Each structure stands twice: as structure tokens, then as C-alpha cells.
Amino acid sequence: MDVKSRKRWSLVILLVGLPLYIMLAVSLVNWMDRTWGRQPILIELAVYLVLGILWAFPFRRIFSGIGKDQ
């Protein structure tokens, strides 16, 4: 994939995909609250940290080299 198309895809991922993923992560924590009750803050923080890092792994190749000059 050339740099121009990777830049376009990265913009789509950040503007559309990331907000959808954030809504999914918050919904997951809300489901955990409904199912098992309110978790300690450290567990919620750990869930958010893991989900915050996890979303980027499938898109490593798209985001690599985006900020470099051509």
C-alpha cells in the first residue's frame, strides 16, 4: 500500500473507527458493571488501558511511516 492510501486509511480509522471503538469499550465496562457490579477503580483502569492499547495492533502497518516526509 502506498503512503497516500495509508494516510487516507489512517484518517478514516482515527475519525470513524476510533470513536466506534471507544463506544464499544465503554459499553463493555458498563456491561461489566451490570453483570458483576461496580469493579474497583484499578480493575476498570486496567480494562481501559488494555483496550486502549489493543485497538492499535491490527493497524500497525497502516500507521507506520505516516508522519515521515515522502
Side-chain angles (χ1 to χ4, degrees), residues 12-43:
V12 169
I13 290 168
L14 289 176
L15 293 178
V16 177
L18 189 57
L20 291 174
Y21 187 77
I22 290 170
M23 288 189 297
L24 178 74
V26 171
S27 297
L28 175 68
V29 172
N30 286 337
W31 174 79
M32 287 173 45
D33 286 347
R34 283 192 316 269
T35 304
W36 299 304
R38 184 70 189 242
Q39 300 297 312
I41 192 71
L42 291 177
I43 292 177

